[in-house]
């Protein structure tokens, strides 16, 4: 017996489903007040979004299912909607009702999914959205008559203007009154008889009732090699396979062409149901969307406008986010400085400043790029342009096994792979989405730029190729960007023919009518994406930051600093003796203080030659005093765990032209590529505040010598390092986001392995060729 308390806390569930671009998410956001919990369904890459709706009868939980054109499923991702509606997902109980959102201006096409949902027998409501668009197209729909013909309630809405949502809220308040959908009699009697016979046989084989649900058995007959058939075979083995095959054969012998049976019968039933419900103009009028499409999907003008729009998006992510990223960087630098100045130097200070604060800062600094990217994606999607962009790029990308929807993620990855990979959510096909995610990190992101700038500036000659227009350094930089693109093409082809093998689906999509973007929906999506990044990928990035800090910090014997301080004191004493001798011999000026005063005086040019030697000695002593902390830090890093690993891997990186210091810096940069610049600065005793423009670092790299007295760096080594960085997966944030988006560690591990292998091979080939041709 249910107690009053149990009844009070009872939560009921409504599933929201519909075709893409029907305004389903806008309705979800409006009903839930933009308060949703976002996660992933276990074992798949499908986003799980749940929001609560308060009603007089208690809490109603609304589940926003992924946009889909039908309940046909050929992958685990596509099967999620079916599983939720059948109550076969452990995360969610079976819905108490289903709201099917349809586009009123394209009712016949949208009812394909709606009639499939009705076959489940759940209490169902048809949400007839975008009725304003239908009216503009002079399409009249008799809602009452439609409800009678379908046997379910019909509610007309304009979600973008909040019209009709109060009627949906009334239905939610009286959830128990929604009638169960009457299953439409779509298929012929002999098909139904074969379906029942097959189900009986599957149950006799021992397949459990839930797995042999009539809806799933019907799908197994209609979809050859679909998920429903695969699951039945997994449960029942060869006996189930034979039973399904024999049933199909009998249906085929009786004249049923299964591949097209459902489309013919279902659309036939739909046309009958809406024949006297929908009134259309005799000759369809040309809509404003059609006129705009005449330009935006034009082969030439559409491509030009698309390129210009993408340039703006790319520029925004790359440049407009700069001030915000600098602000974040400055805030965390100030916070680190504040903590450092109020604590005694030591392990705890280093952990808080270099591990915790730097780690959190390394996460938050990506937030401006994430927010700007999803601002543009949301704008382009909500106004209807994204579908046109996918249409334009489909011909190009289909040649490498991808679809037009892969373009935006790959373009975004030139700024940063993190938002680029998150942008792959717009790709509905799972294989295409994962293939895009796996090749997106090959695009040269902004984090690689400091590495290119440092090494090109130090080792590529400033040679002019076209006077006034083009130099060798610019060509080298451009070549580094081409490396990733050139490798991404064959990698995508190989992936689509091996691990992600499968027919590249033709891009079948409706071009939704253009409409004004919904500001609250866009804002909500930006915030949701940013929060998702911080709470999922951010935690992994932070953990890796702390690990890298520990590897570069320990072991840290006090004796090392004491020895260096003693040696430093001896060096200072030796220079001080030279200064004293100088002062005694020259007696001009007669004291160190007077010498400093003279050096600072603007009126002493006549004495410049006399003072030069003294000035050099004072500068030498100052450099020894000032560099002590940097040299101690460099010594600690060189003998740290990471430094020792650098020595350990030296034989492996020697064929690339690298010594152990470069190998160590490369390992440290597996957290984030740009770390190599600061790491080289520490290794060469310039401190961790070094950046790619530091002239001292370039000079140090040029002057670095190995044990044999030969230069450590040259043009061949520089090219080898740059190619390695162009191809290698050196970004914990990217790996964390791949894990977040694929809901599995399998793909980030695979990405790390294949990109690192490619980087090693590419670097090896580059060094071996360059050292023979250029040295």
């Amino acid at each position: 017996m249910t107690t009053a308390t149990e009844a009070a806390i009872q939560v009921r569930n409504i599933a929201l489903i519909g075709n893409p671009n029907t305004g389903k998410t806008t309705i979800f956001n409006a009903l839930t007040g933009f308060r949703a919990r976002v996660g992933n369904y276990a074992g798949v890459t499908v986003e799980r979004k749940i929001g609560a709706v308060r009603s007089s009868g208690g809490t109603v939980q609304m589940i926003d299912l992924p946009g889909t054109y039908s309940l046909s499923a050929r992958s685990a991702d596509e099967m999620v909607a079916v599983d939720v509606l059948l109550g076969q997902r452990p995360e969610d109980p079976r819905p108490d009702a289903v709201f099917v959102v349809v586009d009123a201006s394209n009712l016949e096409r949208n009812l394909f999914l709606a009639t499939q949902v009705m076959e489940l027998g759940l209490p169902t409501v048809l949400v007839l959205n975008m009725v304003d668009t239908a009216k503009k197209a002079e399409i009249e729909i008799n809602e009452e008559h439609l409800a009678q013909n379908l046997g379910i309630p019909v509610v007309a809405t304009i979600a973008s203007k909040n019209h009709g949502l109060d009627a949906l809220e009334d239905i939610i308040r009286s959830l128990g009154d929604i009638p169960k959908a009457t299953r439409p009699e779509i298929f012929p009697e002999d098909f139904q008889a074969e379906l029942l016979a097959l189900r009986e046989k599957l149950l006799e084989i021992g397949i459990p009732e839930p797995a042999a649900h009539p809806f799933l058995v019907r799908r197994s007959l209609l979809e050859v090699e679909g998920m429903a058939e695969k699951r039945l075979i997994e449960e029942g083995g060869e006996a189930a396979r034979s039973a399904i095959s024999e049933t199909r054969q009998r249906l085929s012998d009786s004249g049923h062409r299964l591949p097209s049976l459902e489309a013919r019968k279902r659309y036939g039933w739909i046309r009958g149901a809406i024949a006297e419900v929908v009134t259309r103009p005799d000759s369809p009028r040309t809509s404003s969307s059609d006129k705009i499409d005449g330009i935006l999907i034009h082969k030439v003008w559409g491509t030009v406008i698309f390129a210009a729009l993408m340039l703006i998006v790319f520029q925004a992510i790359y440049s407009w986010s700069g001030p915000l990223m600098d602000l974040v960087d400055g805030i965390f630098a100030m916070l680190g400085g504040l903590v450092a100045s109020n604590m005694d130097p030591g392990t705890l200070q280093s952990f808080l400043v270099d591990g915790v604060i730097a780690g959190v800062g390394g996460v938050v600094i990506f937030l401006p790029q994430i927010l700007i990217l999803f601002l543009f994606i949301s704008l382009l999607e909500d106004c209807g342009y994204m579908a046109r962009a996918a249409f334009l790029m489909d011909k190009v990308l289909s040649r490498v096994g991808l679809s037009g929807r892969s373009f935006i993620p790959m373009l975004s990855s030139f700024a940063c792979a993190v938002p680029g990979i998150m942008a792959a959510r717009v790709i509905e096909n799972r294989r295409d989405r994962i293939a895009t995610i796996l090749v997106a990190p090959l695009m040269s992101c902004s984090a690689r730029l400091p590495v290119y700038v440092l090494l090109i500036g130090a080792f590529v000659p400033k040679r002019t190729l076209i006077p006034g227009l083009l130099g060798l350094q610019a060509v080298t930089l451009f070549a580094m960007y081409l490396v990733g693109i050139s490798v991404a093409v064959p990698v995508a082809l190989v992936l689509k023919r091996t691990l992600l093998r499968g027919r590249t689906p033709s891009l079948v999509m409706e071009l939704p009518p253009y409409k004004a973007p919904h500001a609250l929906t866009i804002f909500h999506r930006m915030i949701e994406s940013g929060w998702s990044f911080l709470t999922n990928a951010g935690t992994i990035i932070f953990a890796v930051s702390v690990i890298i800090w520990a590897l570069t910090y320990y072991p840290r014997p006090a004796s090392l600093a004491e020895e260096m301080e003693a040696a430093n004191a001896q060096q200072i004493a030796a220079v001080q003796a030279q200064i004293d001798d100088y002062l005694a011999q020259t007696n001009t000026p007669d004291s160190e203080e007077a010498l400093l005063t003279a050096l600072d005086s603007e009126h002493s040019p006549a004495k410049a030659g006399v003072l030069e030697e003294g000035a050099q000695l004072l500068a030498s002593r100052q450099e020894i005093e000032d560099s002590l902390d940097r040299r101690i830090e460099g010594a600690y890093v060189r003998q740290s765990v990471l430094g020792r690993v650098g020595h350990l891997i030296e034989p492996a990186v020697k064929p690339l032209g690298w010594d152990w210091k470069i190998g160590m810096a490369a390992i440290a940069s597996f957290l984030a590529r740009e770390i190599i610049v600061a790491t080289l600065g520490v290794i060469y005793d310039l401190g961790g505040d070094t950046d790619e423009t530091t002239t001292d670092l370039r000079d140090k790299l040029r002057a670095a010598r190995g044990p044999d007295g030969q230069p450590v760096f040259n043009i061949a080594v520089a090219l080898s390092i740059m190619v390695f960085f162009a191809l290698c997966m050196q970004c914990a944030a990217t790996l964390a986001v791949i894990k977040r988006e694929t809901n599995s560690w399998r793909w980030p591990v695979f990405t790390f392995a294949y990109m690192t292998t490619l980087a090693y091979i590419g670097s090896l080939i580059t060094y071996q060729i360059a050292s023979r041709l250029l040295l």
Side-chain angles (χ1 to χ4, degrees):
M1 182 176 178
T2 304
T3 66
T5 305
E6 287 171 336
I9 62 173
Q10 185 178 6
V11 177
R12 292 173 296 171
N13 297 277
I14 297 175
L16 199 62
I17 192 168
N19 287 191
N21 302 310
T22 55
K24 176 173 67 68
T25 299
T26 303
I27 291 174
F28 173 84
N29 288 334
L31 292 176
T32 60
F34 291 89
R35 294 182 297 271
R37 301 194 309 275
V38 182
N40 265 42
Y41 286 99
V44 293
T45 63
V46 179
E47 193 173 74
R48 179 172 179 260
K49 189 184 291 184
I50 294 177
V53 182
R54 299 289 177 186
S55 77
S56 55
T59 300
V60 175
Q61 191 167 255
M62 186 153 280
I63 306 167
D64 187 15
L65 293 173
T68 181
Y69 291 106
S70 79
L71 292 181
S72 303
R74 296 196 172 277
S75 69
D77 285 13
E78 295 169 351
M79 197 67 182
V80 165
V82 177
D83 288 340
V84 171
L85 294 175
L86 290 175
Q88 296 186 4
R89 295 290 310 184
E91 303 96 328
D92 300 307
R94 194 176 193 204
D96 298 288
V98 186
F99 286 4
V100 185
V101 183
V102 298
D103 175 0
S105 64
N106 196 359
L107 186 59
E108 181 179 320
R109 173 72 183 86
N110 281 236
L111 283 178
F112 190 93
L113 172 66
T115 53
Q116 287 182 329
V117 173
M118 289 164 62
E119 289 173 356
L120 295 165
L122 286 165
T124 303
V125 175
L126 189 78
V127 182
L128 194 64
N129 194 33
M130 301 165 68
V131 290
D132 55 338
T133 304
K135 285 182 180 175
K136 284 181 184 174
E138 299 179 9
I139 299 172
E140 296 292 336
I141 301 174
N142 186 324
E143 297 152 21
E144 189 176 342
H145 198 171
L146 179 63
Q148 289 175 356
N149 287 359
L150 296 179
I152 57 175
V154 174
V155 179
T157 61
I158 307 173
S160 59
K161 299 177 181 176
N162 290 337
H163 290 177
L165 299 183
D166 50 348
L168 287 179
E169 290 171 346
D170 289 341
I171 289 177
I172 292 171
R173 279 191 283 271
S174 55
L175 194 58
D177 297 335
I178 304 174
K180 288 187 176 180
T182 304
R183 294 181 176 87
E185 299 294 335
I186 289 175
F187 297 99
E189 290 184 3
D190 56 342
F191 178 90
Q192 291 294 104
E194 286 287 357
L195 173 66
L196 292 174
L198 173 61
R199 183 166 185 269
E200 288 299 321
K201 193 161 190 176
L202 293 173
L203 291 172
E204 289 173 8
I205 291 170
I207 295 178
E209 284 270 355
H213 190 284
F215 182 84
L216 295 176
V217 177
R218 183 184 299 111
R219 303 301 336 154
S220 74
L221 280 178
L222 295 171
E223 297 157 17
V224 179
E225 297 184 357
M227 279 303 296
E229 181 185 2
K230 289 177 182 174
R231 286 191 180 176
L232 288 171
I233 293 173
E234 285 174 4
E235 292 282 353
E238 284 304 314
R241 187 194 302 276
S242 299
I244 296 170
S245 179
E246 289 167 4
T247 304
R248 282 187 184 141
Q249 187 60 51
R250 284 195 296 275
L251 287 170
S252 178
D253 293 343
S254 60
H256 293 299
R257 290 181 295 166
L258 285 179
S260 60
L261 177 68
E262 181 176 22
R264 285 187 290 107
K265 295 296 181 183
R266 195 173 296 280
Y267 276 123
W269 189 92
I270 292 169
R271 289 184 190 111
I274 66 173
E276 298 179 359
V277 172
V278 180
T279 305
R280 297 174 180 276
D282 294 335
S283 56
R285 58 187 285 270
T286 303
S287 67
S288 55
S289 288
D290 294 334
K291 292 175 184 173
I292 296 172
D293 277 342
I295 299 173
L296 292 189
I297 60 174
H298 187 273
K299 188 182 296 183
V300 177
W301 298 118
T303 304
V304 170
I305 293 171
F306 170 74
L309 274 174
M310 292 305 104
L311 187 63
I312 292 172
V313 174
F314 181 67
Q315 182 69 15
I317 297 171
Y318 187 67
S319 301
W320 297 0
S321 62
L324 292 173
M325 296 178 78
D326 289 343
L327 177 64
V328 172
D329 195 33
I331 290 172
F332 279 91
M334 182 182 68
L335 186 61
L338 191 65
V339 172
S341 62
N342 287 283
M343 292 183 69
D344 294 331
T347 301
L348 182 59
Q349 184 212 60
S350 179
F351 172 72
L352 291 176
V353 175
D354 301 325
V356 177
I357 295 176
V360 174
V363 174
V364 180
I365 200 167
F366 287 107
L367 198 55
Q369 289 186 327
I370 300 286
L371 295 177
I372 290 174
L373 172 71
F374 278 93
L375 167 65
F376 278 99
I377 287 182
S378 303
L379 277 172
L380 295 176
E381 271 198 328
D382 215 40
C383 73
Y385 182 77
M386 193 65 88
R388 276 79 181 177
F391 173 78
L392 282 170
M393 291 309 300
D394 185 59
K395 283 186 179 177
V396 178
L397 291 173
S398 62
R399 293 175 184 172
V400 296
L402 301 177
S403 74
R405 288 186 178 274
S406 301
F407 183 75
I408 296 289
M410 294 176 74
L411 179 71
S412 303
S413 296
F414 277 105
C416 176
V418 171
I421 288 168
M422 292 177 72
R425 293 176 184 177
V426 300
I427 304 172
E428 292 153 11
N429 181 273
R430 176 181 172 274
R431 291 191 183 92
D432 283 5
R433 183 167 67 250
I434 292 182
T436 303
I437 287 173
L438 298 187
V439 299
L442 285 169
M443 304 300 110
S444 271
C445 64
S446 57
R448 289 171 168 112
L449 191 58
V451 184
Y452 298 156
V453 170
L454 170 68
L455 294 174
I456 289 174
F459 298 103
V460 177
K462 290 183 179 178
R463 189 175 301 159
T464 300
L465 300 179
I466 301 177
L469 291 176
L470 194 62
L472 181 60
Q473 291 186 333
V475 170
T476 307
L477 181 62
F478 181 64
M480 288 303 114
Y481 277 80
L482 283 183
V483 167
I485 299 171
S486 305
V487 172
V489 171
V491 168
L493 276 172
V494 170
L495 286 172
K496 289 305 299 285
R497 293 179 182 178
T498 54
L499 292 178
L500 301 171
R501 183 171 52 245
R503 185 179 62 85
T504 300
S506 301
L507 186 64
V508 179
M509 61 189 306
E510 294 173 13
L511 297 181
Y514 293 102
K515 61 185 177 69
H518 192 260
L520 271 177
T521 300
I522 291 169
F523 176 76
H524 176 71
R525 186 167 182 192
M526 283 175 58
I527 299 302
E528 181 184 279
S529 300
W531 182 248
S532 172
F533 167 73
L534 290 176
T535 55
N536 290 285
T539 53
I540 299 174
I541 299 169
F542 173 70
V544 174
S545 299
V546 173
I547 292 171
I548 291 291
W549 166 82
L551 292 176
T552 54
Y553 191 83
Y554 292 107
R556 205 172 184 85
S559 59
L560 178 62
E562 292 168 359
E563 290 171 5
M564 293 194 68
E565 286 169 353
N568 199 65
Q570 290 179 357
Q571 285 182 316
I572 291 175
V575 175
Q576 185 61 49
Q578 294 178 39
I579 293 173
D580 293 342
D581 288 345
Y582 167 80
L583 293 173
Q585 291 171 9
T586 60
N587 201 31
T588 307
D590 58 2
S591 70
E592 185 176 327
E593 184 178 352
L595 176 59
L596 288 171
T597 303
L599 287 171
D600 290 339
S601 172
E602 295 179 356
H603 305 291
S604 60
K607 296 181 179 180
V610 180
L611 299 174
E612 185 177 352
E613 183 181 354
Q616 290 177 348
L617 288 169
L618 290 176
S620 176
R621 187 187 66 184
Q622 191 66 44
E623 169 62 19
I624 295 171
E625 291 173 348
D626 291 346
S627 65
L628 176 61
D629 290 341
R630 298 201 302 267
R631 284 184 287 121
I632 290 176
E633 189 59 32
Y636 273 128
V637 171
R638 286 191 288 273
Q639 63 85 54
S640 68
V641 173
L642 206 58
R644 296 176 191 189
V645 172
H647 282 290
L648 190 67
I649 67 165
E650 189 170 24
V653 298
K654 203 70 178 175
L656 311 182
W658 303 4
D659 71 348
W660 72 270
K661 292 181 181 178
I662 302 175
M664 173 189 166
I667 290 174
S669 61
F670 272 97
L671 172 64
R673 297 175 178 91
E674 60 271 33
I675 285 178
I676 190 174
V677 178
T679 307
L680 286 172
V682 171
I683 295 172
Y684 286 96
D685 299 337
L686 290 175
D689 295 331
T690 313
D691 64 28
E692 66 275 15
T693 61
T694 304
T695 307
D696 281 352
L697 179 56
R698 294 178 182 175
D699 292 339
K700 285 270 188 179
L701 297 183
R702 292 190 193 103
R705 293 290 184 273
D708 57 358
Q710 294 297 313
V712 173
F713 291 88
N714 53 44
I715 179 65
V717 173
L719 290 173
S720 166
I721 295 172
M722 285 192 286
V723 169
F724 185 87
F725 273 71
L727 299 178
C728 193
M729 170 48 74
Q730 295 165 292
C731 182
T734 300
L735 291 172
V737 170
I738 292 176
K739 191 270 174 186
R740 161 73 178 82
E741 296 300 306
T742 61
N743 201 26
S744 166
W745 279 109
R746 174 189 175 197
W747 294 115
V749 169
F750 173 78
T751 306
F752 178 82
Y754 100 78
M755 287 187 66
T756 304
T757 304
L758 277 181
Y760 186 88
I761 295 171
S763 178
L764 177 66
I765 294 172
T766 301
Y767 176 73
Q768 295 301 329
I769 293 175
S771 60
R772 286 166 174 75
L773 296 179
L774 303 178
L775 300 181

